Amino acid sequence: MTHIPDLQWWREHSQGTLIDRLGIELLEVGPRRAVGTMPVAGNTQPAGLLHGGATAALGETLGSIAAWVHGGLDRHVVGLELGATHHRSAREGVVTGVATAIHLGRTTASYEIVVSDGDDRRISTVRLTCLILDPR
């Protein structure tokens, strides 16, 4: 079984990255499921709505981290395909993403990431497939 670093390790290794800039906080990390939150404030488009790109970045972050744990931290994980459907908007508060594994293979891993608002209403559904590469 792959060792999964604790949440503090993930926080330290996220400093100065997009994860840090978007205010994403990891709450749970594993190969089959990853959970994190992101504030709406600071991640909006000019109309004051949560930016779809920020939502997609939350989804890709959670799925990629789960795929990295699945593949092994000694391997590299890159996004191969990302798609998002935005169902409703958010103007304030915090959104939560839950990445759930759809496929866990040797060289690919796919996740469905459901992003919900503080009232547990689905904001977006993100789908991510990652390529798991051996280190060079």
Side-chain angles (χ1 to χ4, degrees), residues 5 9 14-15 17 44 49 52 60 67 70-71 74 77-78 80 86 93 95 99 101 104 106 115 126 130 133:
W9 185 91
S14 297
Q15 290 180 5
T17 69
T44 60
L49 303 173
E60 185 161 3
H70 164 67
D74 60 328
V77 172
V78 295
L80 191 60
H86 305 298
V95 294
L104 296 175
R106 188 181 65 77
V115 180
V126 181
C130 291
L133 302 167

Side-chain angles (χ1 to χ4, degrees), residues 100-124:
T100 305
I102 297 169
H103 166 77
L104 296 175
R106 188 181 65 77
T107 59
T108 62
S110 297
Y111 294 85
E112 177 184 66
I113 304 95
V114 174
V115 180
S116 302
D117 65 13
D119 293 323
D120 204 29
R121 295 177 299 187
R122 187 179 293 221
I123 298 294
S124 297

Side-chain angles (χ1 to χ4, degrees), residues 26-97:
L26 298 171
L27 304 177
E28 179 183 332
V29 173
R32 296 189 173 280
R33 179 178 147 105
V35 180
T37 61
M38 181 179 71
V40 173
N43 293 313
T44 60
Q45 38 127 304
L49 303 173
L50 178 62
H51 195 291
T55 306
L58 172 62
E60 185 161 3
T61 296
L62 296 173
S64 293
I65 286 174
W68 192 19
V69 172
H70 164 67
L73 299 181
D74 60 328
R75 297 176 79 192
H76 302 288
V77 172
V78 295
L80 191 60
E81 183 175 22
L82 175 71
T85 302
H86 305 298
H87 308 291
R88 65 175 46 241
S89 61
R91 290 185 175 276
E92 60 187 13
V94 173
V95 294
T96 301

